Amino acid sequence: MTGMKPMKRFYCRAYQTVFDLGSRVLPWRKPEIVSGAGSTAKIPELLRSCGVKKVMIVSGKHTGAALVPPIRAQIEAAGISAVHFDAVRANPTISIIEQVRERYLAEGCDGFLAVGGGSPMDTAKAAAARVVRPNRTVEQMTGLFKVMHALPPFIAVPTTAGSGSETTIAAVVTGSDHHKYAINDLCLIPQAAVLDPALSASLPQDVTAQTGMDALTHAVEAYIGRFYNTAETRRMAERAVAGIFRHLPEVCRDGGNLGARQAMLAASYQAGFAFTRAGVGNVHAIAHTLGGLYDVGHGLANAVLLPVVLEDYGPAVYRRLARLAEAAGLPGEDDAQKANAFIAAIRAMNQQFRIPEGFSCIREEDLPQMAAWADAEANPTYPVPVIYDRAHFIRVIRRVMLPAKREEQTP
């Protein structure tokens, strides 16, 4: 078994050191937060304060049918015109983003309202970036700080407690080559986020669980990074972990528990704030390949990969995982015991929520491409505790490969 070349490791750590120093002088900001049951009633006021006269509402089909109509009615009753695009799907494609942009311009809109999970929010962010950067394609804006223009007024209304996109600098999209790309720029942070627990009360248990584990992954990967963390991101990540361990089982048992739903929205926001400043890691790098190639939901991919990658990191993360174990109220005599208790608790939650241990969709012939994409995403930017090369990525991916399902034979 050959390890990563020392020069590549040195380059990654040098890059992260320089980026860490530079990031500390950037103008990070937070969205204005409006929260509580019924807080969507304040959306017209938020839009008016931003000077919006005609808003583009972006959502998926189900959310568009179930949750958007009363919000739109409130907006229009306040004298603000609204246009609704409801064709967003999971793992949003560049084609959908271009449709949103074209509709926005054709209708003469002057602001965005994204309602839904991470996919509608990321779609709207990318479309807004295309509006202000008409001469740059989505692909040309992927990476760090390639938008650099203020977006139109943008309000995010999360209906799941998972992605944290209502507070992040990121928009993740899927290209025609099935590769997931991230646009990362400070201008993508929404002006306001509306955290209304009533919108998530009817979420199915599986969606609640997977999006909750997505938020947990954000908090954990942000916390264990070697660079970029601040006292505030560490505090936010610890609070998110404590909140998710306490409240995710509650909302999975009783989806109508609005207090627990509100707590999960807060935890998702905290985790989102932490990772947008402190970064993510190898879990995300691999999860994005699963979403791009096989259309695996992002929360599901993160949930399956998180304990596997943490276990693979070994002693490199024991000290930090021990602090998270303490935040979650888990026992242990020393850092190693606490860290392993934390990993075991994640596996126990996955089992409780009927999340599988792996995926039967992964094909052996796809492993080199998956490793190449994950390597390109993670290195040199992500401040991971252990830097993976392509061979290491393949070894970890193999740990979540399940036998392909056989089609039933018909007589």
Side-chain angles (χ1 to χ4, degrees):
M1 185 189 304
T2 59
M4 169 174 283
K5 293 179 181 178
M7 283 303 297
K8 182 172 182 179
R9 184 181 293 108
F10 174 80
Y11 168 68
C12 290
R13 294 308 188 199
Y15 179 101
Q16 292 156 19
T17 300
V18 173
F19 186 84
D20 186 26
L21 293 172
S23 68
R24 295 182 187 276
V25 299
L26 292 174
W28 300 93
R29 63 179 176 84
K30 299 176 185 175
E32 177 184 351
I33 297 297
V34 178
S35 62
S39 55
T40 53
K42 298 179 181 178
I43 290 174
E45 179 184 338
L46 291 171
L47 291 170
R48 192 180 294 111
S49 69
C50 294
V52 175
K53 294 180 174 59
K54 190 171 189 178
V55 66
M56 164 73 84
I57 303 173
V58 180
S59 77
K61 286 286 185 188
H62 176 75
T63 298
L67 302 178
V68 168
I71 295 174
R72 182 174 184 174
Q74 290 174 331
I75 292 170
E76 293 178 334
I80 301 170
S81 298
V83 175
H84 185 196
F85 183 95
D86 67 351
V88 176
R89 55 184 290 276
N91 299 312
T93 63
I94 293 173
S95 173
I96 293 293
I97 291 163
E98 291 301 319
Q99 291 177 44
V100 174
R101 180 189 70 90
E102 291 166 7
R103 181 95 181 273
Y104 179 94
L105 295 173
E107 296 278 0
C109 297
D110 56 2
F112 283 90
L113 179 70
V115 183
S119 294
M121 287 188 278
D122 288 356
T123 298
K125 284 182 180 182
R130 284 282 291 123
V131 167
V132 299
R133 291 293 248 171
N135 297 322
R136 286 196 174 185
T137 65
V138 171
E139 292 94 335
Q140 289 171 336
M141 290 186 289
T142 59
L144 291 170
F145 310 127
K146 294 180 182 178
V147 183
M148 301 293 284
H149 280 54
L151 300 189
F154 191 110
I155 297 172
V157 186
T159 61
T160 64
S163 77
S165 189
E166 68 275 8
T167 185
T168 73
I169 66 170
V172 180
V173 301
T174 304
S176 58
D177 58 355
H178 301 289
H179 186 190
K180 295 193 84 167
Y181 302 87
I183 305 171
N184 296 281
D185 204 306
L186 295 176
C187 63
L188 297 188
I189 299 172
Q191 275 82 9
V194 178
L195 310 182
D196 189 335
L199 299 182
S200 59
S202 62
L203 276 182
Q205 186 187 66
D206 61 338
V207 177
T208 297
Q210 291 170 23
T211 54
M213 295 304 289
D214 187 19
L216 180 63
T217 304
H218 294 155
V220 172
E221 288 212 290
Y223 196 81
I224 65 177
R226 286 275 300 271
F227 299 91
Y228 312 165
N229 260 301
T230 66
E232 187 175 23
T233 62
R234 285 190 290 268
R235 184 170 62 251
M236 286 284 208
E238 288 171 353
R239 289 177 180 174
V241 167
I244 292 165
F245 267 78
R246 177 179 176 182
H247 296 291
L248 183 55
E250 291 180 359
V251 293
C252 285
R253 283 193 301 268
D254 177 12
N257 184 334
L258 293 188
R261 288 284 187 190
Q262 185 72 69
M264 280 300 300
L265 284 170
S268 177
Y269 172 85
Q270 291 158 354
F273 175 84
F275 93 78
T276 204
R277 177 68 178 82
V280 285
N282 290 324
V283 174
H284 272 74
I286 300 172
H288 286 152
T289 71
L290 289 165
L293 277 176
Y294 308 117
D295 212 26
V296 174
H298 184 61
L300 176 59
N302 277 342
V304 172
L305 288 162
L306 181 59
V308 174
V309 172
L310 293 180
E311 189 173 69
D312 183 79
Y313 285 155
V317 293
Y318 282 175
R319 181 175 62 84
R320 293 180 179 87
L321 288 189
R323 303 293 82 78
L324 292 181
E326 291 166 1
L330 299 173
E333 296 296 324
D334 56 29
D335 284 353
Q337 285 187 12
K338 292 175 183 177
N340 284 311
F342 188 74
I343 296 170
I346 294 171
R347 283 203 165 95
M349 281 201 295
N350 279 347
Q351 187 173 21
Q352 177 185 351
F353 303 145
R354 296 184 177 86
I355 291 172
E357 294 183 355
F359 302 99
S360 60
C361 58
I362 303 174
R363 297 184 292 263
E364 180 73 23
E365 59 267 29
D366 291 336
L367 293 180
Q369 180 65 82
M370 295 174 73
W373 284 344
D375 181 36
E377 176 178 334
N379 301 318
T381 309
Y382 290 169
V384 292
V386 178
I387 299 171
Y388 288 1
D389 59 13
R390 295 185 184 187
H392 201 150
F393 274 115
I394 288 175
R395 290 198 300 272
V396 171
I397 294 168
R398 280 207 170 101
R399 291 183 58 185
V400 296
M401 289 178 67
L402 298 179
K405 294 178 180 178
R406 294 183 178 178
E407 296 184 4
E408 292 186 8
Q409 299 293 322
T410 55

